[in-house]
Amino acid sequence: MTGTTTFPRIIASPLAAGLAPGEATTDRIAWVKTSLVFLPLAAPISDAKVLTGRQKPLTEIAFLFAEIETERGYSGIGYSYSKRAGGRGQFVHSQEIADELIGEDPNDIARLWDKLAWAGASVGRSGLATQAIAAFDIALWDLKAKRADLPLAKLLGAHRDAVRCYNTSGGYLSMPIEEVKERISMALEKGIGAVKLKVGQPDPMIDLQRIEAVRNHIGDVPLAIDANQQWDRTTALRFGRIAEQFDLTWIEEPLDAYDYEGHAALARELATPIATGEMLTSVDEHYELIRHDSVDFIQPDAPRVGGITPFLKIMALADHKKLRLAPHYCMEIHLHLTAAYGREPWVEHFEWSEAMFNETLEVRDGRMIVPNRPGLGFSLSEQARAWTQATHEVGKRR
């Protein structure tokens, strides 16, 4: 048989990340700055990962800040962070992709997330890569809400103007139990509504003694515990059954963060709710938790999953499955996101980062109050500027 084979014509659909802004665009990104800031902690702290020899005590937190300004003078600020390792890596990757934003429409947040992800596709779409993207994504959402002259929670569509909050920073294993009780009392006096206690030591009996001491100290105040992934399935089940007498709000990270089936088995067996998700770094990983029925409380972390854009996808998946929401850390960001969740959530209170910002968040009657300031409602303090170790700028300010 001779001749040329004729194939039907194929018309490829362009990917959103490759499309240029069109006539609807009325403003463009003119300037982007990233900063690497190290926040020193007052004293080293330890959780179960330290006591089991897997990590060193935490002494500082690395923050990656992104500041964005447009041709018309609108601005936004966002951040990502890392503990113990990865902060400098996030900063370097942010340098590699920051110029992709120059000239873009700041309102096209979902498209810009995809563009930044493809710009760094060689390092993947989770982990350090998306944590660097998160700082830009959060800054763009802050900018969008400021442009609308609304707090971010109101831009998203708030269900409430205050969110139940609990304190973690007073319950670390590096603190003797008397200090823990003292710090818990201080948190409750500030108006915080619940506390979380770290567990997961090599000797579970010590954990049980500490839980009992705290429960006796606080009465019927909501109490959660966090094992930081340090139990195996058998230990977690046995401990969970014994701990049911303490009426815990949840048991957090009893198993390895990626043990979806193990968490699902615990959720079926225990009366105490299971919470996890903070160490996962993508929507897909959280989907696996949801698909396996692994959690009662899902705990995504916006900077770790890549920002507010992917966080909103996780929220939608969680709401569809009727899960409760209790994001990890980053109260300045998560306060707005939890306020926009349909089911009563929790937000985690840490006073560590307060020195980084000019504004403080109000806590009253067990709840954290959504501020009436536009956007996320925070700006970098002079102290944060003083702790800055490196900066990078692209574009030109007005």
Side-chain angles (χ1 to χ4, degrees):
M1 185 176 178
T2 61
T4 303
T5 302
T6 300
F7 294 100
R9 186 182 180 193
I10 299 173
I11 301 176
S13 299
L15 293 173
L19 295 175
E23 293 181 6
T25 292
T26 59
D27 198 4
R28 294 176 186 270
I29 296 171
W31 174 80
V32 177
K33 177 181 179 180
T34 54
S35 303
L36 177 63
V37 183
F38 282 90
L39 166 68
L41 299 183
I45 61 167
S46 299
D47 56 24
K49 299 187 295 294
V50 176
L51 272 65
T52 57
R54 288 174 168 160
Q55 290 186 345
K56 296 178 180 179
L58 182 64
T59 60
E60 62 184 9
I61 301 173
F63 283 82
L64 170 64
F65 284 97
E67 298 171 79
I68 296 175
E69 189 173 286
T70 73
E71 291 175 352
R72 294 182 62 183
Y74 293 99
S75 64
I77 183 169
Y79 72 80
S80 190
Y81 74 97
S82 186
K83 298 176 180 178
R84 296 182 176 88
R88 289 181 175 84
Q90 288 182 24
F91 177 67
V92 170
H93 189 55
S94 74
Q95 291 178 278
E96 296 175 321
I97 61 176
D99 61 351
E100 297 285 343
L101 294 173
I102 300 300
E104 290 283 8
D105 186 331
N107 295 294
D108 296 346
I109 302 176
R111 183 178 66 82
L112 294 180
W113 197 99
D114 287 345
K115 184 179 184 182
L116 294 176
W118 278 106
S122 293
V123 288
R125 297 187 191 179
S126 63
L128 185 148
T130 49
Q131 289 167 26
I133 293 172
F136 299 119
D137 182 84
I138 293 166
L140 288 170
W141 278 102
D142 180 55
L143 188 156
K144 192 168 192 175
K146 286 176 178 173
R147 190 172 196 155
D149 197 28
L150 292 171
L152 179 62
K154 295 297 185 180
L155 181 74
L156 297 174
H159 285 268
R160 59 194 64 82
D161 290 345
V163 181
R164 293 183 302 179
C165 65
Y166 70 95
N167 180 264
T168 294
S169 49
Y172 276 86
L173 293 175
S174 47
M175 303 172 186
I177 192 61
E178 291 305 316
E179 181 182 352
V180 169
K181 292 193 295 186
E182 181 181 349
R183 287 174 174 265
I184 287 173
S185 294
M186 292 171 59
L188 297 178
E189 289 170 4
K190 287 181 180 179
I192 292 169
V195 293
K196 187 170 75 178
L197 181 68
K198 296 289 186 176
V199 295
Q201 302 184 73
D203 184 354
M205 295 308 298
I206 298 176
D207 286 330
L208 288 169
Q209 292 168 4
R210 286 167 69 92
I211 295 171
E212 183 175 23
V214 170
R215 173 52 80 203
N216 291 336
H217 181 66
I218 64 176
D220 61 358
V221 170
L223 171 64
I225 61 171
D226 182 1
N228 288 108
Q229 308 178 73
Q230 296 310 294
W231 290 331
D232 58 29
R233 294 185 182 185
T234 300
T235 302
L237 181 58
R238 289 175 175 171
F239 193 100
R241 284 176 173 163
I242 296 172
E244 285 179 352
Q245 63 184 300
F246 299 114
D247 189 26
L248 300 174
T249 302
W250 68 68
I251 299 175
E252 184 171 328
E253 286 196 318
L255 304 173
D256 183 272
Y258 295 92
D259 188 357
Y260 308 118
E261 294 179 353
H263 280 104
L266 284 178
R268 288 192 300 269
E269 292 289 332
L270 297 178
T272 305
I274 299 299
T276 194
E278 68 177 66
M279 297 304 298
L280 305 183
T281 59
S282 69
V283 175
D284 289 346
E285 291 167 357
H286 282 84
Y287 173 70
E288 289 301 307
L289 279 180
I290 295 168
R291 183 174 72 85
H292 283 88
D293 294 320
S294 301
V295 290
D296 302 288
F297 285 92
I298 195 161
Q299 298 185 297
D301 180 316
R304 282 183 177 165
V305 300
I308 291 170
T309 298
F311 191 100
L312 293 175
K313 296 178 182 179
I314 296 169
M315 278 176 56
L317 292 169
D319 184 58
H320 178 71
K321 208 65 181 286
K322 299 178 174 58
L323 298 178
R324 286 169 283 182
L325 179 68
H328 170 253
Y329 197 47
C330 304
M331 60 188 184
E332 300 84 11
I333 299 165
H334 291 144
L335 173 58
H336 292 270
L337 300 177
T338 51
Y341 191 64
R343 305 174 195 282
E344 185 72 46
W346 288 94
V347 67
E348 188 170 21
H349 178 272
F350 275 89
E351 62 272 10
W352 294 347
S353 58
E354 290 180 348
M356 303 285 279
F357 308 114
N358 292 313
E359 303 80 10
T360 57
L361 292 171
E362 181 184 358
V363 174
R364 186 172 66 246
D365 299 327
R367 291 179 174 267
M368 191 175 292
I369 312 302
V370 176
N372 60 10
R373 300 181 292 271
L376 289 164
F378 67 78
S379 57
L380 280 179
S381 67
E382 288 303 313
Q383 179 62 79
R385 303 289 185 189
W387 284 332
T388 300
Q389 292 199 1
T391 61
H392 176 73
E393 296 184 50
V394 293
K396 185 177 181 180
R397 301 195 78 169
R398 298 173 67 247

